[in-house]
Every structure is written in C-alpha cells, then in structure tokens.
Amino acid sequence: MGIGGRAKARETGVSRLAAHELTLAYDDRTVVHDLELAVPDGRVTVIVGPNACGKSTTLRALGRLLKPKSGSVLLDGAELASIPTRRIAQSIGLLPQSPVAPEAITVADLVSRGRQPHQRWWQQWSEEDERAVTDAMARTDVTELAERSVDELSGGQRQRVWIAMALAQETDLLLLDEPTTFLDIAHQVEVLDLVRRLNHEQGRTVVIVLHDLNQAARYADHLVAMKEGRIVAEGAPGEVVTAELVREVFGLESVVVPDPVTGSPLVVPGAPYRPGAGD
C-alpha cells in the first residue's frame, strides 16, 4: 500500500494490523489474555507496562514471530498464519530487542539485507534495491558509516543502522521492540526523534514497545498500557496518562503535569525517601 492507500485507510478508519481475542503463551504459561487491538494506520503507537506484562510478546505476535495459542492477528483482514512469509516481510518490518549482527559485517551490507524480501532467484539486486538502501541510509544519517564494521559503532549508531535496514525493507508497518534499551539519554532521544520524523515524512505505521512512560507519552499518537497480559487503557496520551493509571499499572504514586516543551503528560514520581524524614 502506497502513501495514497495509507491516507485512505486513515480516512476510513480501517486498521491494516489488528489482533482479535489474542491469547499468547510460552508452553503452559499464558502471557497475554484475549487481547483486542486495532493499530491506527499512519500513526505511532507505543505499548507500555511493567516488566513481564506481555508487551514484547504481543509485538512478536504482531510480527508473526509467535504463534497464537488462540485468537488471531490480522493483516488487511487476513490471518497472518495464512499469508505467505514473503508477503508478510514485504508488509511488516520487525526490529527485535538487541539484534545481533554477523561478525565483521559492514553497515552497507547489513542495511542491504533489508532488501531480501523483494529479491527473486532471477533478480538478486536491482536499481530499486540500490535506491531503497541509499535512501534508508540517508534518512538515518549513516551514509558516511557505510564501510565501517557494525561492531565498531556506538550504541546510537548501531540502532540507526538497524533502523536503516528495517527502512530499506520498505514496509508500511514497522514494529520496534525497545529500540532505546542500553542507550544513553542523548541516543534514546536521537532514535525516537528519527522514528517520529520517518512517520511524519512517510506516513508509516509504527508500533514501539518502550519502558519509559514519559518517552512514550512524548512520542506516541496512540498509547497502549498493559498489565498482566491485558490492555488496561489505550488512546491519546493526554487522555490515558493519569496519576490513577500510573498507580494501577506501575504501582507508583505520582503527579502528572504538562511537559514544558511538548505539552504531553509528564509523570513526576512521588517524594523520594529521605533518611530521618518521618522517623
């Protein structure tokens, strides 16, 4: 689906990617229960929640890396399980947590791997592939790193390279599982600013799992809060993020105020413990 198709989907309220009565499990341990989710097209959706609440598991299922115990994930109305792998790879790009690059691979080679779903045995590389890789590297500002080994890069640089590979795949849907993990605050902002810019410029639908609720509120159009494998609340951050929600989902007393820069909700934790106070 091109940009025009994505715009039409937004106008009609149709969601290309959705979960219906989705239950997910690892062996006999159920992690997600009867989840209903319609991912808004052309928007940035961020999933938040405490550790082990099922947010990364849900993302894996949306990318067909995990088979549902029951229920279904739908792409354009069809169950993912019924769609050929190549077609899914041409529609959904998934960047997992802490991806590992082959030893000594260069930036250009890694980004080029994003084109594999578009290649055929009779056409291994094309001008279209070259254009997609060049454009992805330019958008993520890694062109000058093309001949560098991925192993030599900083954390922020590596994340930009992995995102470039996902962009080179040229999917309308992009799923990112905790892309800021292990990055310092400057690189976290760098990566999330990049994702937001790509969403605005290209209209791509993005789903991100994040730990940081304030970052989620700042960058999300649509925020999904999970607890114990279920969705507790979802909607625009300004409507969803309240002191009551923070208490219910994270067990944290807090005050929610407007972010002085963006106006989005900013969660301020309650007063810290001080020795002698109240003793």
Side-chain angles (χ1 to χ4, degrees):
M1 181 184 290
I3 292 175
R6 291 196 291 268
K8 184 176 180 181
R10 288 196 296 272
E11 291 171 2
T12 59
V14 174
S15 180
R16 296 194 62 206
L17 185 64
H20 178 58
E21 296 182 350
L22 183 66
T23 295
L24 304 171
Y26 295 107
D27 297 324
D28 295 329
R29 182 172 63 91
T30 299
V31 179
V32 172
H33 310 265
D34 297 320
L35 184 138
E36 296 281 341
L37 177 65
V39 176
D41 284 294
R43 315 285 285 188
V44 176
T45 295
V46 181
I47 305 175
V48 297
N51 290 339
C53 72
K55 53 188 184 294
S56 290
T57 300
T58 298
L59 197 77
R60 287 171 54 82
L62 292 176
R64 209 178 77 167
L65 292 185
L66 182 63
K67 182 180 179 180
K69 180 179 180 180
S70 63
S72 58
V73 176
L74 305 175
L75 176 64
D76 296 328
E79 289 197 26
L80 281 190
S82 69
I83 301 174
T85 299
R86 179 180 292 274
R87 185 188 153 200
I88 291 176
Q90 292 173 347
S91 299
I92 301 175
L94 172 61
L95 183 58
Q97 287 186 46
S98 305
V100 178
E103 187 175 354
I105 192 170
T106 65
V107 168
D109 287 342
L110 183 61
V111 176
S112 296
R113 294 193 174 200
R115 296 303 299 167
Q116 290 178 352
H118 301 277
Q119 295 173 353
R120 301 291 190 273
W121 65 266
W122 67 87
Q123 182 178 324
Q124 292 299 302
W125 194 255
S126 67
E127 291 183 3
E128 183 65 15
D129 294 325
E130 189 68 31
R131 179 208 57 76
V133 169
T134 299
D135 181 65
M137 292 178 67
R139 288 183 177 276
T140 52
D141 196 25
V142 298
T143 302
E144 294 184 357
L145 304 175
E147 301 307 317
R148 294 270 301 277
S149 169
V150 174
D151 297 334
E152 300 174 0
L153 304 181
S154 69
Q157 289 172 326
R158 279 197 301 272
Q159 285 296 77
R160 292 207 312 270
V161 170
W162 282 110
I163 292 174
M165 187 190 76
L167 293 180
Q169 197 172 332
E170 291 195 324
T171 60
D172 289 338
L173 295 152
L174 186 59
L175 313 181
L176 306 173
D177 192 359
E178 299 189 22
T180 59
T181 299
F182 306 126
L183 300 184
D184 60 40
I185 185 63
H187 285 136
Q188 290 176 27
V189 171
E190 180 181 271
V191 167
L192 293 173
D193 278 346
L194 167 64
V195 172
R196 169 52 86 184
R197 188 171 72 248
L198 293 168
N199 163 258
H200 275 225
E201 292 176 353
Q202 299 185 338
R204 296 195 187 200
T205 301
V206 184
V207 184
I208 314 176
V209 168
L210 289 178
H211 266 301
D212 190 307
L213 182 55
N214 284 330
Q215 288 183 346
R218 172 175 280 217
Y219 289 96
D221 297 308
H222 187 79
L223 191 141
V224 177
M226 293 185 65
K227 179 182 179 182
E228 297 177 352
R230 303 181 190 277
I231 293 177
V232 175
E234 63 176 303
E239 300 171 356
V240 170
V241 181
T242 64
E244 291 74 22
L245 178 86
V246 175
R247 183 186 306 113
E248 179 182 359
V249 173
F250 295 95
L252 176 69
E253 294 297 330
S254 66
V255 176
V256 178
V257 299
D259 185 307
V261 176
T262 64
S264 59
L266 181 66
V267 177
V268 181
Y273 170 75
R274 289 187 173 85
D279 292 350

